Amino acid sequence: LEILMKIRNTNISHSDLRRRCVLSQEEYYGCELLLADRDMVEQQADEILKGCGVSSAAFLLFRATTHTLVLRALNAGIQYRVIHNASIMNAVGCCGLQLYNFGETVFIVFWMDTWRPESFYDKIKKNRDMGLHTLCLLDIKVKEQSMENLMRGRKIYEPPRYMTVTQAAEQLLEILQNRRDRGEELAMTEDTVCVGLARVGAEDQTIRSGTLQELASSDLGGPLHLMIISGHLHPLEVDMLKLFSGSEGLKTLKMTDSSTYVS
């Protein structure tokens, strides 16, 4: 993280940034590092595990879809140990929302012309029905291929894309309109209080609280972004969120009892 913070604002490409990070880590640890993308982890796990039976290897886990690597290691008789690190799952507490008030985490994907899923909204609704906050992880497109290059087997990749809070809020607003047009009871509205976070843990970390409509026009700067849809709010949580709201404050909040706010 320290290395990233030092060089993230320089005018270099994403691939060069990754290369510099690897070289810096190799110098620090005194050994060669292999940058394993998702394809390698999921399709070439045997390469990663090769030699682990006679020497130690460390796998720095940045994704949530690599549990199969543990299972393959166990099947091969290779022992493993998990060393826990910081996680965005608890780092979001920096915005002032209480972690035990969160429900199921959702993942908001980039929409395409022919693929516009809304399933994450249904999970947000379930959380809201129980008064729970929803952490929304936002899509990252790295090493993605165009359909033509994929069909032709060419290892040519599109420029990386990182979903912003603005883009996620815009998609949610469109889903709300779609559900409204179908006569459904809405889980939230344009006035629901949400929180946008960017670059959590970095020196230029940014937090913005406001309505969903307000976040759709908020610029939180560079990646990585994530968003939280609020559930029932404790007064202390409201006081914290006001630290990150605009001059209008959180005027859409309504008190249902002495210890609960809703929007």
Side-chain angles (χ1 to χ4, degrees), residues 32-67:
E32 181 182 1
L33 295 183
L34 177 64
L35 188 60
D37 58 23
R38 182 170 184 169
D39 285 342
M40 181 173 189
V41 173
E42 295 182 354
Q43 306 299 329
Q44 303 175 45
D46 292 340
E47 281 296 312
I48 298 175
L49 297 175
K50 185 188 301 182
C52 288
V54 294
S55 62
S56 298
F59 180 67
L60 306 181
L61 179 63
F62 292 105
R63 295 183 180 273
T65 57
T66 48
H67 301 90

Side-chain angles (χ1 to χ4, degrees), residues 1 37 93 101 106 130 143 145 154 189 219 227 237 239 251 253:
L1 177 60
D37 58 23
N101 287 339
V106 305
M130 294 185 288
K143 294 194 73 174
Q145 294 175 273
R154 298 185 299 206
T189 70
D219 182 4
M227 186 166 67
E237 292 180 303
D239 288 342
K251 291 187 175 181
L253 286 175

Side-chain angles (χ1 to χ4, degrees):
L1 177 60
E2 181 181 358
I3 296 166
L4 283 171
M5 288 167 60
K6 287 180 178 178
I7 65 177
R8 65 174 299 277
N9 290 322
T10 56
N11 187 25
I12 60 175
S13 67
H14 180 267
S15 59
D16 194 27
L17 175 63
R18 296 169 71 189
R19 183 182 62 82
R20 291 192 190 188
C21 288
V22 170
L23 291 176
S24 298
Q25 292 294 299
E26 287 179 338
E27 181 180 354
Y28 180 80
Y29 289 110
C31 63
E32 181 182 1
L33 295 183
L34 177 64
L35 188 60
D37 58 23
R38 182 170 184 169
D39 285 342
M40 181 173 189
V41 173
E42 295 182 354
Q43 306 299 329
Q44 303 175 45
D46 292 340
E47 281 296 312
I48 298 175
L49 297 175
K50 185 188 301 182
C52 288
V54 294
S55 62
S56 298
F59 180 67
L60 306 181
L61 179 63
F62 292 105
R63 295 183 180 273
T65 57
T66 48
H67 301 90
T68 54
L69 193 62
V70 170
L71 297 177
R72 292 194 185 193
L74 290 174
N75 288 335
I78 299 171
Q79 295 182 342
Y80 80 96
R81 181 163 68 99
V82 176
I83 302 175
H84 296 284
N85 196 358
S87 168
I88 196 61
M89 304 297 285
N90 52 47
V92 295
C94 64
C95 73
L97 296 182
Q98 298 168 349
L99 294 178
Y100 48 74
N101 287 339
F102 279 77
E104 183 177 356
T105 299
V106 305
F107 185 65
I108 300 181
V109 299
F110 277 114
W111 279 352
M112 298 186 293
D113 292 339
T114 58
W115 189 62
R116 302 166 72 85
E118 300 183 0
S119 54
F120 55 86
Y121 168 84
D122 298 316
K123 294 181 179 181
I124 294 173
K125 184 179 187 306
K126 289 181 180 179
N127 287 340
R128 291 266 300 172
D129 288 343
M130 294 185 288
L132 301 175
H133 311 315
T134 305
L135 173 60
C136 304
L137 305 179
L138 307 186
D139 204 359
I140 297 174
K141 296 294 186 185
V142 178
K143 294 194 73 174
E144 293 286 322
Q145 294 175 273
S146 67
M147 185 58 66
E148 179 183 355
N149 287 328
L150 186 63
M151 296 293 291
R152 294 178 180 272
R154 298 185 299 206
K155 294 294 184 180
I156 301 175
Y157 303 103
E158 300 295 297
R161 293 188 295 146
Y162 306 92
M163 181 178 284
T164 65
V165 166
T166 297
Q167 291 169 316
E170 288 174 344
Q171 289 188 187
L172 273 170
L173 287 171
E174 187 169 336
I175 291 174
L176 288 178
Q177 189 57 52
N178 292 341
R179 302 294 175 112
R180 186 179 285 119
D181 292 342
R182 296 202 291 264
E184 295 185 16
E185 181 180 353
L186 298 180
M188 55 189 292
T189 70
E190 292 81 354
D191 290 331
T192 295
V193 169
C194 302
V195 187
L197 302 95
R199 302 171 304 283
V200 173
E203 291 181 350
D204 62 344
Q205 167 182 294
T206 298
I207 303 174
R208 187 81 46 81
S209 63
T211 66
L212 180 64
Q213 189 71 62
E214 289 170 341
L215 289 188
S217 58
S218 296
D219 182 4
L220 274 63
L224 298 168
H225 289 199
L226 63 150
M227 186 166 67
I228 300 170
I229 313 298
S230 70
H232 292 175
L233 291 164
H234 187 275
L236 289 177
E237 292 180 303
V238 173
D239 288 342
M240 284 297 298
L241 292 185
K242 286 181 177 178
L243 299 177
F244 311 113
S245 65
S247 58
E248 293 296 313
L250 304 174
K251 291 187 175 181
T252 61
L253 286 175
K254 300 175 182 178
M255 181 175 277
T256 60
D257 57 51
S258 61
S259 63
T260 307
Y261 286 84
V262 297
S263 62

